[in-house]
Amino acid sequence: MKHCGRIALIGPPNAGKSTVLNALLGQKITIVTPKPQTTRNQIVGILTEGENQAIFLDTPGLTRVRGRLSKSMIQAIWESLRMCDVLMPVLDGNLYARHGELLEKDIAPLADALASDKRPNIVLVNKIDLFSDKALMLPLFERLHALWPLAELFPISALTKDGLETLRSLLFSKLPEGEPEYPDDQLSTQPVRFMAAEVIREKLFLHLRQEVPYSCAVAVETWEHSEQTGQTVIGAVIYVAKPMHKAIVIGHQGSSIKQIGIEARKEIQELLGEKVHLDLWVKVKEHWTEDPDFLRDLGVLGETL
Ligand SMILES: Nc1nc2c(ncn2[C@@H]2O[C@H](COP(=O)(O)OP(=O)(O)OP(=O)(O)O)[C@@H](O)[C@H]2O)c(=O)[nH]1
Ligand SMILES: [Mg+2]
C-alpha cells in the first residue's frame, strides 16, 4: 500500500524542529542555530522511501505575538496546520524536565488548542541526549500524557539521531493512502536562491549577538552562472532595521561581514556543487518587519503548502 501525506512540525522556538527535519531527510535543507526564532518561513522537506512519501513542513517557532513578523509567523503556522495529515509538535524535553513551570506555560496552551483535533498528534520529546538524570524523564512523560491524552509521545534526540529510525517507519504508517506527489529525488520545494539567502541568514545568526540578527533580512538579488569560469556569481543584500546595526554587521574594518561571507560561500558552494563567488551588501531598511510587501517578497507572508 502506498502512503503519501503532510506532516507539520510545530512547537516553541528552539525546540529542534529544523534539526529534526534535517535529520529525518539526512540532508540540511533548513537552517539551524542556537538562537530562538531562527526559522521565519514555511520550509518543505520531502522524504521518499520506496513508494511512500512524507511531505514535512518546518515552521517558525510558536511565540507570543509581538510585531507583525511574529503575527505573520503564527498565521502561517495555523494555515499550514489546516493542510496537514499529521501534527508533530516538537519540544525540548530537557528544558521541561528541569522547568515544569515552563511546560505549563508553553505546552499546555498548545495541547489545549489541539485537544479536539482528530488527526494523529505525535509529540517528539527532543534533546534526550541532554538528560543528565534519567529519573527526570518519567515525571515529564506522565505530565505530558496528562496534558495531551490522545498524543503519542516519542522520545528522540535529533542531534544524535536516537529514535529517528523507528520514528520514520511510524510516520509513514500514519499517512493516508496515496501516490507520491513529488519525484523521488526531490528533497525540498524551496528555490535554490531562497536556500542561499537562508544560509547567509544562518551565518548572521551565528555571528551576531542580541537583537542584531533579528533585525536582518537577506535577499539574493543577482545570480549569474559563467560557463567560462564555471563559477556562479551571487549578489545578496542584508537588510537591517537600524543604521547602528549596519555598522555591527560590517564589523571593524569589515571583519564581521568578511567572516559571514566566507562561511556562507563555502556552504552555498556545497549546496550547488559548483564554485561560488558571493558579494554581500548591507542596506538599512527601517521598519521592514512591518512592511507587508517586503515580507511577502521574503516569503514570510502568504505562503501555504
Ligand atoms: N543537544 C541537543 N541539541 C539539539 C537537539 N536538537 C536540536 N538541538 C539544538 O537546539 C538548537 C535549536 O535547534 P533548531 O533546529 O534551530 O530549533 P527550531 O525548533 O527549529 O527553532 P526555531 O526555528 O527558532 O523555532 C540548535 O542549537 C540545535 O543544535 C538535540 O536532540 N540535542
Ligand atoms: Mg527552526
Side-chain angles (χ1 to χ4, degrees):
M1 212 140 31
K2 299 176 191 176
H3 293 266
C4 179
R6 290 165 160 72
I7 302 171
L9 287 149
I10 51 170
N14 214 37
K17 300 175 293 298
S18 302
T19 312
V20 166
L21 180 53
N22 290 337
L24 283 168
L25 299 188
Q27 200 149 325
K28 181 171 166 183
I29 64 143
T30 176
I31 62 171
V32 168
T33 83
K35 291 193 173 67
Q37 292 184 55
T38 297
T39 307
R40 281 186 192 155
N41 306 57
Q42 299 178 30
I43 309 280
V44 176
I46 304 158
L47 178 67
T48 310
E49 261 179 33
E51 295 185 307
N52 295 319
Q53 191 164 75
I55 304 157
F56 294 95
L57 193 73
D58 185 15
T59 62
L62 289 164
T63 43
R64 260 149 269 129
V65 182
R66 254 185 287 125
R68 184 183 281 272
L69 190 59
S70 305
K71 213 188 281 176
S72 69
M73 284 175 168
I74 291 172
Q75 279 164 356
I77 294 165
W78 287 108
E79 185 61 24
S80 64
L81 289 188
R82 219 165 42 83
M83 318 294 287
C84 287
D85 306 290
V86 173
L87 304 177
M88 195 157 71
V90 181
L91 51 98
D92 181 338
N94 181 51
L95 176 74
Y96 298 125
R98 289 184 293 114
H99 298 284
E101 73 287 359
L102 291 179
L103 185 75
E104 304 303 322
K105 210 165 116 204
D106 295 351
I107 302 303
L110 178 64
D112 204 34
L114 300 178
S116 58
D117 206 297
K118 299 278 184 298
R119 292 169 291 183
N121 271 220
I122 300 173
V123 178
L124 301 186
V125 183
N126 191 27
K127 308 198 185 183
I128 55 165
D129 58 295
L130 292 178
F131 272 81
S132 47
D133 184 0
K134 299 277 179 226
L136 291 172
M137 218 182 287
L138 188 63
L140 172 67
F141 275 75
E142 281 173 351
R143 187 69 198 110
L144 279 171
H145 187 63
L147 278 177
W148 222 320
L150 296 178
E152 271 181 67
L153 304 177
F154 213 91
I156 61 156
S157 165
L159 202 68
T160 63
K161 303 201 166 36
D162 205 4
L164 281 189
E165 212 43 64
T166 332
L167 173 66
R168 230 182 252 136
S169 11
L170 171 85
L171 284 179
F172 285 123
S173 72
K174 300 281 177 191
L175 295 177
E177 280 175 44
E179 296 288 329
E181 287 182 31
Y182 296 97
D184 60 4
D185 58 351
Q186 187 168 345
L187 280 173
S188 181
T189 58
Q190 276 75 243
V192 70
R193 279 170 89 114
F194 171 80
M195 288 171 99
E198 284 288 275
V199 169
I200 299 165
R201 213 163 58 73
E202 181 185 77
K203 305 312 170 203
L204 291 164
F205 263 74
L206 292 175
H207 284 279
L208 303 172
R209 278 185 293 180
Q210 294 167 341
E211 84 279 17
V212 185
Y214 298 100
S215 149
C216 296
V218 179
V220 168
E221 312 238 309
T222 56
W223 185 290
E224 271 170 50
H225 180 74
S226 154
E227 290 296 339
Q228 240 170 5
T229 60
Q231 220 181 29
T232 299
V233 181
I234 300 170
V237 178
I238 299 165
Y239 290 98
V240 291
K242 291 182 187 166
M244 198 181 77
H245 290 165
K246 179 172 174 176
I248 298 173
V249 172
I250 292 170
H252 181 60
Q253 293 181 341
S255 58
S256 173
I257 189 122
K258 188 172 172 206
Q259 195 54 34
I260 288 162
I262 290 171
E263 290 177 23
R265 184 183 60 83
K266 195 164 163 260
E267 202 168 311
I268 296 168
Q269 209 157 258
E270 279 166 24
L271 188 75
L272 300 183
E274 58 189 34
K275 268 199 159 326
V276 166
H277 174 90
L278 178 64
D279 287 321
L280 293 177
W281 288 275
V282 187
K283 287 187 189 167
V284 179
K285 190 174 175 68
E286 284 179 58
H287 311 299
W288 68 261
T289 60
E290 284 151 39
D291 178 344
D293 291 336
F294 185 69
L295 291 176
R296 203 165 290 113
D297 287 348
L298 293 176
V300 176
L301 278 179
E303 267 189 21
T304 50
L305 186 61

